[in-house]
Amino acid sequence: MEWHFTSFGRKLRHFCIIFSCKTFRVLKLCFNYLVFRGNPFWIQFFYFIIVSFAGYLSLKLSKPKSSNSVAPKDFDVFFTSVSASTVSSMSTLEMEIFSNTQLIIITVLMFVGGEVFTSLLGLQFLKLNFPKQTSSNSVDPTELGLVSSEEPSSNFDPQSFNNDILIKKGSLRCLGNVVLGYLLVVQIVGSGLVLLYVSVIDTARELLNNRGIHAQTFSVFTIVSSFGNCGFVPTNENMIVFKRNSGLLLLLIAQILLGNTLYHPCLRFLIWVLEKITKRTEYSYILKNTKQMGYSHLFPTLHSSFMVVTVFGFVLVQFVLFCILEWDSEAMAGLNGYQKFVGALFQTVNSRHAGEYVVDLSTISSAILVLYVVMMYLPPYTLFLPTKQQTDDPSQRGGFVECVLFSQLSYLVIFIILICIMERDKMKNDPLNFNVLNITFEVISAYGNVGLSTGYSCERQLKPDGSCKDAWYGFAGRWSYKGKLILVCIMFFGRLKNFNINGGQAWVFM
């Protein structure tokens, strides 16, 4: 009987080993197929789904803050996990309900969901998928981007091709190391500087202590959020409570730019510096073959230069408009001139993709909100490239005027912003009639030469005016002369819009 059970145990153990090996082999094949042959969209989709569910489970299993008597709903916790992993910072819960452990979990979610980190994972997949053999008989050179499909086969040199493969493989390894170093150094230095700031400045340290937020957790959390352009801050009011701490805001401005809109120019500059110092062939190859590297955050020198100009151009336009309309507003009350300057700059930089704020957005001008809508819509690598040639035929290349023209949609946005500025007093005192939607409808109607209008209703006035009488003319009849003059320009522009069909070609969205 004992021998029977011993034999059965051996067979069961042997079966489990075989089953485990086959299961591991199947999982490995599925993983290899998903990574190396799967659609990149589905790879990233399942990545964010897995990370979000893992974050949700971690947040649910960790202990909440003891002072929080009401446990958050499960869906709100899942919502927070998705928002952190996709670096969206949309919130349905106050941040101060989370314990220190939960804040650390959210920090990890923001880190692994950031664009730089996910692009680093993509580089690792490129290296894993790179051919291990350098034999010209086993690899198609056109698939690697080393040989053009239009080149004649007689020009193909196997020895040169093998050398190119080795150089590209080494270049991918160097690029991965540079991105990893950039990711870690920028955030480690940033976290250290923020920790130093909150340790030295009494107001910042006392604020964190009063709210039960650890200084170390706040420093790492805020830097990871800013670098990843997520927008989460451990305080309920985001950065409004720190609007007088200009030094802290300047530190976060640098992180926001380095992690998003200026990432690829800074990365290219770093590679250029390393190439000058080390004289390594791999760095030179990366700089000269940005497209062949397969890394979506590498661009030629010209693109990087115009990217820097475009980013700071957007910042300057928003900053000037914000200062004109909000310098003496209620949102900036109680701040001195320097604090207003830094606060306006911080709010401007955050409008693209970061999402942190030092003012209550519900109180600022509608013109600025419209501009923020446009800025949020634009991809991070939007650049103005007036030297871009649209065709190889010199006779059909656009001149300077065609290059600097905006698209028709851009002009309409500018017109809407200008009207919101001219009618800002009425938008404040009569918001049910003078709102952005009604103004946009009137502008598009004039541009399309249609003539439809939402009209104006005296019954919708929040402050009834006894002299107000409903009339059968359009909404524009209640505008100021400045607003009507802009609408006149829009009608002319709409009637002649066929002469601007090629406008905006110098803008590149990546």
Side-chain angles (χ1 to χ4, degrees):
M1 191 70 175
E2 181 180 355
W3 175 86
H4 177 72
F5 280 111
T6 302
S7 176
F8 176 77
R10 290 175 179 174
K11 291 181 180 180
L12 180 61
R13 185 166 58 253
H14 181 67
F15 172 78
C16 291
I17 293 174
I18 295 177
F19 179 79
S20 300
C21 292
K22 290 186 176 181
T23 302
F24 176 77
R25 186 178 304 173
V26 171
L27 292 176
K28 183 179 180 181
L29 290 174
C30 293
F31 175 79
N32 290 337
Y33 178 82
L34 178 64
V35 171
F36 302 132
R37 296 186 181 182
N39 189 310
F41 168 81
W42 291 111
I43 295 175
Q44 292 204 28
F45 175 76
F46 284 115
Y47 172 80
F48 287 116
I49 288 292
I50 293 172
V51 170
S52 298
F53 272 102
Y56 162 73
L57 293 175
S58 300
L59 290 173
K60 285 297 296 181
L61 294 176
S62 57
K63 295 181 179 180
K65 186 176 289 188
S66 57
S67 59
N68 181 36
S69 57
V70 180
K73 298 179 180 179
D74 288 348
F75 188 81
D76 288 332
V77 175
F78 176 72
F79 186 97
T80 302
S81 178
V82 173
S83 186
S85 62
T86 59
V87 291
S88 302
S89 76
M90 304 298 293
S91 58
T92 58
L93 297 170
E94 292 184 331
M95 293 302 298
E96 292 181 23
I97 71 170
F98 295 110
S99 64
N100 187 67
T101 302
Q102 291 175 321
L103 290 178
I104 294 174
I105 293 172
I106 295 175
T107 303
V108 174
L109 291 175
M110 293 187 295
F111 182 84
V112 299
E115 181 63 29
V116 178
F117 181 83
T118 54
S119 69
L120 180 61
L121 292 182
L123 272 178
Q124 302 307 312
F125 291 151
L126 280 177
K127 290 194 295 184
L128 291 174
N129 199 27
F130 206 83
K132 297 181 179 180
Q133 300 179 353
T134 58
S135 172
S136 59
N137 296 326
S138 60
V139 181
D140 184 2
T142 59
E143 295 181 357
L144 299 175
L146 300 173
V147 177
S148 173
S149 59
E150 299 179 357
E151 294 181 1
S153 58
S154 59
N155 295 335
F156 175 66
D157 183 4
Q159 182 62 36
S160 176
F161 171 67
N162 290 337
N163 293 335
D164 286 341
I165 286 185
L166 293 176
I167 293 175
K168 183 174 181 180
K169 188 174 183 179
S171 300
L172 281 173
R173 187 183 303 110
C174 289
L175 179 59
N177 294 335
V178 172
V179 174
L180 178 60
Y182 182 94
L183 174 68
L184 296 179
V185 170
V186 171
Q187 297 191 73
I188 291 174
V189 172
S191 301
L193 292 175
V194 171
L195 180 59
L196 178 63
Y197 181 90
V198 298
S199 301
V200 173
I201 305 301
D202 294 337
T203 56
R205 183 177 63 254
E206 292 175 0
L207 190 148
L208 295 179
N209 291 335
N210 293 337
R211 301 188 179 215
I213 302 174
H214 296 182
Q216 298 87 344
T217 302
F218 173 83
S219 302
V220 177
F221 184 103
T222 308
I223 286 297
V224 171
S225 177
S226 299
F227 182 84
N229 278 209
C230 178
F232 273 143
V233 177
T235 57
N236 291 337
E237 306 91 342
N238 206 275
M239 294 301 295
I240 293 179
V241 292
F242 295 104
K243 63 181 179 180
R244 291 181 174 82
N245 299 106
S246 300
L248 177 60
L249 299 183
L250 290 174
L251 290 174
L252 299 185
I253 287 174
Q255 290 288 326
I256 291 167
L257 294 175
L258 292 174
N260 193 271
T261 52
L262 291 184
Y263 169 57
H264 92 71
C266 292
L267 178 63
R268 184 176 181 85
F269 177 75
L270 177 59
I271 296 173
W272 178 80
V273 171
L274 292 174
E275 191 271 335
K276 294 298 182 182
I277 296 176
T278 64
K279 306 296 182 182
R280 291 187 61 174
T281 307
E282 290 84 355
Y283 295 128
S284 178
Y285 182 89
I286 294 172
L287 295 174
K288 295 178 181 178
N289 301 272
T290 54
K291 186 176 182 180
Q292 286 79 1
M293 293 303 299
Y295 187 57
S296 60
H297 298 281
L298 275 179
F299 298 98
T301 304
L302 183 64
H303 284 66
S304 299
S305 302
F306 277 101
M307 173 66 67
V308 175
V309 174
T310 304
V311 169
F312 286 110
F314 281 146
V315 170
L316 179 61
V317 171
Q318 295 179 81
F319 177 77
V320 170
L321 183 61
F322 189 95
C323 289
I324 291 175
L325 298 179
E326 301 296 331
W327 189 264
D328 294 323
S329 66
E330 180 182 352
M332 306 295 282
L335 304 180
N336 58 39
Y338 175 69
Q339 291 171 340
K340 288 182 179 180
F341 178 89
V342 176
L345 182 61
F346 180 83
Q347 192 60 59
T348 295
V349 171
N350 275 272
S351 66
R352 287 292 297 275
H353 297 283
E356 298 172 16
Y357 52 91
V358 291
V359 297
D360 184 356
L361 296 183
S362 65
T363 63
I364 65 175
S365 171
S366 298
I368 296 178
L369 290 179
V370 173
L371 182 59
Y372 283 178
V373 169
V374 178
M375 293 296 108
M376 291 186 294
Y377 169 77
L378 293 177
Y381 291 158
T382 299
L383 73 150
F384 183 66
L385 192 62
T387 60
K388 180 184 178 184
Q389 302 296 342
Q390 303 297 334
T391 177
D392 294 332
D393 185 1
S395 63
Q396 298 182 3
R397 291 177 182 174
F400 176 77
V401 176
E402 286 76 8
C403 288
V404 299
L405 285 177
F406 291 160
S407 66
Q408 298 181 18
L409 181 59
S410 300
Y411 286 116
L412 291 176
V413 172
I414 294 173
F415 286 137
I416 293 172
I417 291 174
L418 290 176
I419 293 175
C420 288
I421 294 174
M422 300 304 173
E423 308 296 337
R424 60 183 180 274
D425 291 335
K426 294 181 179 179
M427 295 181 73
K428 181 178 181 181
N429 298 322
D430 190 10
L432 296 183
N433 284 301
F434 282 86
N435 56 63
V436 176
L437 177 60
N438 288 347
I439 290 176
T440 302
F441 188 93
E442 204 81 4
V443 168
I444 301 301
S445 179
Y447 165 77
N449 306 120
V450 178
L452 292 178
S453 176
T454 57
Y456 183 93
S457 174
C458 297
E459 295 180 357
R460 290 199 294 264
Q461 291 181 338
L462 294 181
K463 299 177 181 179
D465 183 3
S467 61
C468 179
K469 295 181 180 180
D470 290 327
W472 287 103
Y473 48 75
F475 177 44
R478 301 283 183 168
W479 294 9
S480 64
Y481 286 107
K482 295 178 181 179
K484 292 176 182 178
L485 180 59
I486 295 175
L487 205 62
V488 168
C489 297
I490 296 173
M491 288 186 285
F492 280 121
F493 177 72
R495 193 64 185 86
L496 301 174
K497 56 180 172 285
N498 291 335
F499 295 94
N500 187 38
I501 57 176
N502 294 322
Q505 291 189 6
W507 290 92
V508 182
F509 304 94
M510 294 179 288

